[in-house]
Amino acid sequence: MNEKPDEALVREVQEGSITAYEILVKRYQQRLFAFVYRIVRDEPAAQEVVQDAFISLYKTIDRVDTRKKFSSYLYSIARNTAISSLRARKPAVSIDESAVSVDEVAMEERLASQEQREGVRRAIAKLEKKYRRVITLYYFGDLSYEEIGETLNLPINTVRTHLARAKQKLRDILYI
Amino acid sequence: MKTIDLTKPVMEQVVRLERKRTRRWIRIFSVTVAILLIVAALFLVRAALRLSERHTWDLFALLMEDKEIISEFWQDTAMIFFEELPKSSLLIAGAVAVAIALLFVFTAKKRTVVRRKMQELAKREKKQS
């Protein structure tokens, strides 16, 4: 069964269909959560940001131009909402309950993979802002070159170049 | 990465927001139409009262006369009737009637959208109950 394209669903929402909006929410919530999580680093906060982003989108859906990529608009809202959330949030101290697990082997494995992830995150944090944004959107936001270009207002070739350079720099940082 | 399902909380907020928006729009639209209808009615009543004061309605007594008398005097009677009409009141009532018609024309699409939203909201309420 063919899925309706985003633009058709947005048009239906603009014509009064709440059900069409539910389909868009189901389609994008997981990807958006992954994207927002990379920014806010906190699961409950990421969930809240994703909810707020969907509500903000619904309030402004009549202004969405269905000739343009809908996902770029959605990711822009999510990014802005995440950044506002970070600014408003005070740093929270949380206890990692997995660190007090009795199963030492499982704990070591968990810590190892956490270290790897931490390593990649630290490496990405060292990149210049223009490379960091592109690589985050590509790998964690799961956006295409066109979508990244629209979100960041960059030509597609620039996105490609940034991504290639970001990958090269990451390799240099991680394998030195 | 954890799998999340935020559909229910998001849609609950959307439904709440939409219910509030739709009811507000219907309220504003209904009040506007009601006010315009009242204004048009007031001016029509005012026009009718002015015609009563001048006994202009008595001109219609011609219709009780014979055919020959009617055909001889109807043009003069009509001319007097139109001269005695309170034109300003009727002009205002007419303008308000045109405004109501235009309001319906320009809100046709919006009313279709609102109707669809209300149908969906009703369906959801029925599903929940």
Side-chain angles (χ1 to χ4, degrees):
Chain A
M1 192 172 79
N2 284 333
E3 267 189 358
K4 266 190 197 165
D6 293 344
E7 288 67 35
L9 288 170
V10 170
R11 263 195 299 275
E12 283 187 31
V13 176
Q14 290 172 340
E15 286 162 12
S17 172
I18 299 173
T19 309
Y21 196 70
E22 192 170 355
I23 298 171
L24 283 170
V25 170
K26 285 179 178 164
R27 191 177 284 182
Y28 277 97
Q29 59 180 327
Q30 193 61 47
R31 274 190 277 174
L32 212 62
F33 175 73
F35 171 66
V36 168
Y37 180 77
R38 299 296 165 196
I39 301 173
V40 301
R41 298 301 191 204
D42 181 65
E43 280 188 10
Q47 288 191 37
E48 205 179 307
V49 166
V50 168
Q51 277 189 60
D52 290 345
F54 277 122
I55 300 304
S56 296
L57 170 67
Y58 188 78
K59 286 180 183 172
T60 56
I61 198 115
D62 287 334
R63 285 182 242 151
V64 173
D65 185 351
T66 53
R67 293 167 299 179
K68 295 189 177 158
K69 260 282 183 222
F70 163 75
S71 54
S72 310
Y73 185 71
L74 176 58
Y75 277 96
S76 291
I77 291 179
R79 188 186 72 234
N80 294 338
T81 311
I83 290 167
S84 300
S85 163
L86 278 176
R87 285 193 186 127
R89 219 161 35 114
K90 287 179 187 161
V93 176
S94 64
I95 297 165
D96 184 3
E97 290 184 346
S98 66
V100 298
S101 164
V102 176
D103 187 343
E104 284 189 358
V105 172
M107 185 179 73
E108 277 169 17
E109 282 175 2
R110 236 189 329 263
L111 284 173
S113 68
Q114 274 177 12
E115 274 175 24
Q116 274 178 335
R117 281 199 296 271
E118 260 314 301
V120 171
R121 272 188 228 133
R122 275 198 294 270
I124 290 174
K126 285 181 187 171
L127 293 175
E128 283 172 57
K129 190 179 174 185
K130 56 183 178 181
Y131 300 136
R132 195 167 62 238
R133 290 192 313 181
V134 168
I135 209 155
T136 303
L137 287 173
Y138 188 75
Y139 284 110
F140 305 125
D142 207 22
L143 299 187
S144 65
Y145 289 151
E146 290 82 4
E147 287 167 339
I148 294 171
E150 280 191 36
T151 306
L152 299 178
N153 214 16
L154 293 171
I156 288 176
N157 285 335
T158 308
V159 171
R160 278 201 192 99
T161 312
H162 282 351
L163 199 57
R165 287 188 187 154
K167 285 189 222 174
Q168 183 56 53
K169 284 181 189 288
L170 271 180
R171 255 181 248 127
D172 294 342
I173 295 167
L174 287 168
Y175 298 117
I176 282 173
Chain B
M1 172 102 339
K2 180 182 171 181
T3 305
I4 55 146
D5 187 5
L6 296 171
T7 315
K8 191 165 184 272
V10 168
M11 291 316 294
E12 275 172 8
Q13 283 192 66
V14 164
V15 163
R16 242 193 329 265
L17 171 75
E18 199 49 69
R19 196 178 287 132
K20 198 171 155 187
R21 276 210 302 214
T22 308
R23 282 181 185 166
R24 186 170 172 267
W25 190 89
I26 290 169
R27 209 170 27 242
I28 292 172
F29 181 77
S30 306
V31 165
T32 307
V33 170
I35 289 173
L36 288 174
L37 281 173
I38 289 168
V39 167
L42 281 172
F43 278 98
L44 282 173
V45 164
R46 186 168 176 239
L49 287 173
R50 289 287 283 274
L51 290 174
S52 295
E53 278 167 25
R54 293 173 188 173
H55 300 283
T56 312
W57 299 119
D58 296 347
L59 291 170
F60 287 98
L62 179 70
L63 297 170
M64 305 296 186
E65 303 297 333
D66 295 336
K67 250 187 178 167
E68 292 83 20
I69 299 174
I70 293 172
S71 53
E72 195 182 334
F73 291 105
W74 76 268
Q75 282 178 332
D76 291 334
T77 307
M79 211 167 61
I80 297 167
F81 181 77
F82 282 114
E83 269 177 28
E84 292 191 3
L85 275 179
K87 292 171 187 63
S88 54
S89 298
L90 288 176
L91 204 64
I92 293 170
V96 172
V98 167
I100 294 172
L102 287 174
L103 184 67
F104 272 85
V105 164
F106 289 129
T107 59
K109 189 174 178 198
K110 178 75 182 180
R111 281 185 290 116
T112 309
V113 169
V114 167
R115 198 176 304 126
R116 186 173 179 183
K117 284 182 181 177
M118 286 180 66
Q119 284 167 354
E120 290 221 6
L121 287 170
K123 246 190 258 173
R124 281 174 183 268
E125 271 171 32
K126 209 175 172 183
K127 230 194 242 177
Q128 275 176 358
S129 62

